[in-house]
């Protein structure tokens, strides 16, 4: 039984089914232009700055087959993301539509400066358009965000412990490694505590106001999302477990492949630690995380004694793959998604019997309870 019961979807007006303002063509166009400009600036800096000759030498020695391996790993990471998306939002949804929404989300994350929230917002719009209730979308979005963070937190703990006791190859500053592990541990405790706090706060607000306010409703969604996250973890559903592990592991191994492509491969544990710490730069709200993630990854690898030239070359190749592959695949998936929303929204609404969906050409159709 789910942590929170589903609520029947209320009838939807046409304006509620309109595309989200966050994904208006003009805004997406501006973000894409900003992304292209940022990439051109990085290319110009690497090409023209005299002190980066060693980086240019590394880039000139790239191995094509290893880049193909890296691209393949990125595609597998995307498949894993789709598995998590379907397991969290609706196991009754077809794999095809799950892939269309999930891959469209990854494409949005590549071009929208929202630290990963842009993709979830796109998925939320698609699910809402197809009849899923706002309450379910909100709490499952919270659960999805928390679940996809769990492997990162566990990864930090495992790698730090392995390096400390000598199980994993690599030399790392123990103090430098303990800090992210402590932060990760605090994040788990605070997240679980936040669920209970949000529920209590929502009750107090409702008691004082005498009715349910928007803020109280948001707190309920946060509380329910934390509860759903814990419930989904306890279920240990195979596709969810595979997706959570694969989404992170395949992405980290892209870095491993790009290091191979430039002829210098640090110990695997160091690649994992550098990745887990460096990716925090993606929280900076710029298109595709350009600049923030790149500097974060390079800086993290340098702190773990990886030479600057191979680290920079491997990170730039990784970032190019991490931006281009999801953007291209997401664009194609988005085109198919528009068609599915027009003709096959019923398969999504089946997640919530009794809800209503808009099918273009047929109007609003109510699903049988």
């Amino acid at each position: 039984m789910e942590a929170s019961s589903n609520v029947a979807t209320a009838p939807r007006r046409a304006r509620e089914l309109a595309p989200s303002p966050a994904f208006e063509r003009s805004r997406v166009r501006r973000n894409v232009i900003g992304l292209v400009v940022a990439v051109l600036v990085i290319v110009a800096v690497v090409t023209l700055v005299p002190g980066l000759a060693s980086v240019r030498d590394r880039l000139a020695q790239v191995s094509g087959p290893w880049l193909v391996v890296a691209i393949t790993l990125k595609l597998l990471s995307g498949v894993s993301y789709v598995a998590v998306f379907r397991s969290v939002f609706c196991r009754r949804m077809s794999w095809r539509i799950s892939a269309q929404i999930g891959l469209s989300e990854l494409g949005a994350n590549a071009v929208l400066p929202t630290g990963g929230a842009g993709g979830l917002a796109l998925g939320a719009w698609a699910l809402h358009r197809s009849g899923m209730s706002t309450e379910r979308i909100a709490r499952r979005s919270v659960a999805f965000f928390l679940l996809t963070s769990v492997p990162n937190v566990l990864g930090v703990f495992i790698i730090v412990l392995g390096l400390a006791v000598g199980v994993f190859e690599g030399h790392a500053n123990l103090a430098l490694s303990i800090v992210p592990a402590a932060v990760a541990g605090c994040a788990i405790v605070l997240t679980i505590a936040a669920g209970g706090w949000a529920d209590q706060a929502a009750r107090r607000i409702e008691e004082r106001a005498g009715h349910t306010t928007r803020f109280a409703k948001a707190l309920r969604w946060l509380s329910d999302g934390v509860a759903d996250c814990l419930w989904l973890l306890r279920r240990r559903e195979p596709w969810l477990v595979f997706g959570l592990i694969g989404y992170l592991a395949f992405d980290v191994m892209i870095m491993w492949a790009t290091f191979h492509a430039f002829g210098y491969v640090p110990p695997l544990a160091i690649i994992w630690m550098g990745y887990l710490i460096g990716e925090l730069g993606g929280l900076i709200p710029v298109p595709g995380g350009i600049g923030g993630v790149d500097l974060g990854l390079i800086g993290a690898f340098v702190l773990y004694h990886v030479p600057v030239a191979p680290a920079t070359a491997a990170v730039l190749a990784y970032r190019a793959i991490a931006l281009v592959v999801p953007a291209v695949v997401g664009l194609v998936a988005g085109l198919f998604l528009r068609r599915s929303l027009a003709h096959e929204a019923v398969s999504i609404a089946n997640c919530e019997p009794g809800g209503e969906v808009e099918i273009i050409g047929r109007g609003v159709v109510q699903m049988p309870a």
Side-chain angles (χ1 to χ4, degrees):
M1 183 175 185
E2 293 189 10
S4 299
S5 58
N6 293 337
V7 177
T9 307
R12 288 170 171 72
R13 300 181 178 88
R15 66 175 180 273
E16 292 178 295
L17 295 168
S20 168
F23 304 101
E24 292 177 351
R25 291 184 179 180
S26 59
R27 180 175 179 182
V28 173
R29 190 183 301 116
R30 288 196 301 271
N31 289 327
V32 171
I33 292 173
L35 180 61
V36 171
V37 170
V39 170
L40 291 177
V41 169
I42 292 175
V43 171
V45 169
V46 172
T47 304
L48 301 176
V49 173
L52 298 179
S54 59
V55 175
R56 290 193 289 272
D57 292 340
R58 285 283 180 179
L59 291 172
Q61 300 169 8
V62 63
S63 169
W66 276 109
L67 290 184
V68 172
V69 171
I71 292 171
T72 302
L73 289 167
K74 187 60 185 178
L75 294 173
L76 291 173
S77 178
V79 171
S80 302
Y81 183 95
V82 171
V84 178
F85 176 86
R86 182 175 180 272
S87 297
V88 171
F89 285 96
C90 179
R91 290 188 300 159
R92 298 164 67 179
M93 191 187 304
S94 72
W95 279 100
R96 180 168 55 82
I97 294 182
S98 298
Q100 290 170 6
I101 299 177
L103 296 176
S104 296
E105 287 188 356
L106 291 176
N109 286 337
V111 298
L112 295 177
T114 48
L120 280 177
L122 174 60
W125 169 80
L127 293 170
H128 182 72
R129 167 69 183 266
S130 301
M132 188 176 289
S133 69
T134 301
E135 186 266 347
R136 179 182 176 87
I137 294 171
R139 74 171 195 268
R140 285 305 172 96
S141 294
V142 172
F144 184 90
F145 181 81
L146 295 176
L147 284 167
T148 52
S149 301
V150 168
N152 298 62
V153 173
L154 292 179
V156 171
F157 274 116
I158 294 171
I159 300 301
V160 168
L161 182 60
L163 289 171
V165 301
V167 174
F168 297 140
E169 179 187 359
H171 301 285
N173 186 318
L174 189 57
L176 179 64
S177 301
I178 287 176
V179 171
V183 171
C186 290
I188 292 177
V189 174
L190 290 175
T191 298
I192 296 175
W197 171 84
D199 182 61
Q200 295 173 6
R203 292 180 183 179
R204 287 195 297 267
I205 292 173
E206 290 172 348
E207 289 174 357
R208 293 173 183 174
H211 60 88
T212 301
T213 64
R214 290 185 178 181
F215 185 54
K217 188 179 294 185
L219 290 173
R220 291 280 188 193
W221 290 342
L222 173 60
S223 176
D224 290 344
V226 174
D228 279 6
C229 172
L230 297 175
W231 175 76
L232 287 164
L233 284 174
R234 287 194 297 269
R235 285 182 57 200
R236 295 190 293 274
E237 197 259 323
W239 278 114
L240 177 61
V241 175
F242 162 78
L244 290 174
I245 295 174
Y247 179 48
L248 174 64
F250 288 130
D251 211 56
V252 176
M253 296 308 287
I254 298 172
M255 283 295 327
W256 169 80
T258 56
F259 270 114
H260 271 285
F262 295 104
Y264 181 93
V265 186
L268 192 56
I270 299 301
I271 293 177
W272 274 80
M273 280 302 297
Y275 174 95
L276 292 170
I277 296 174
E279 278 288 333
L280 294 175
L283 298 176
I284 300 175
V286 294
I290 287 289
V293 174
D294 309 74
L295 294 176
L297 287 169
I298 294 170
F301 285 125
V302 170
L303 285 175
Y304 284 101
H305 311 296
V306 178
V308 174
T312 302
V315 167
L316 291 178
Y318 162 78
R319 292 290 292 143
I321 292 169
L323 291 174
V324 174
V325 174
V328 172
V329 175
L331 175 62
V332 175
L335 295 176
F336 282 102
L337 176 61
R338 291 177 65 88
R339 183 187 306 173
S340 296
L341 291 178
H343 302 291
E344 303 176 37
V346 172
S347 63
I348 299 176
N350 276 335
C351 296
E352 293 190 294
E356 294 184 358
V357 304
E358 183 202 44
I359 301 179
I360 296 176
R362 294 178 59 190
V364 176
V365 177
Q366 185 170 28
M367 298 303 300

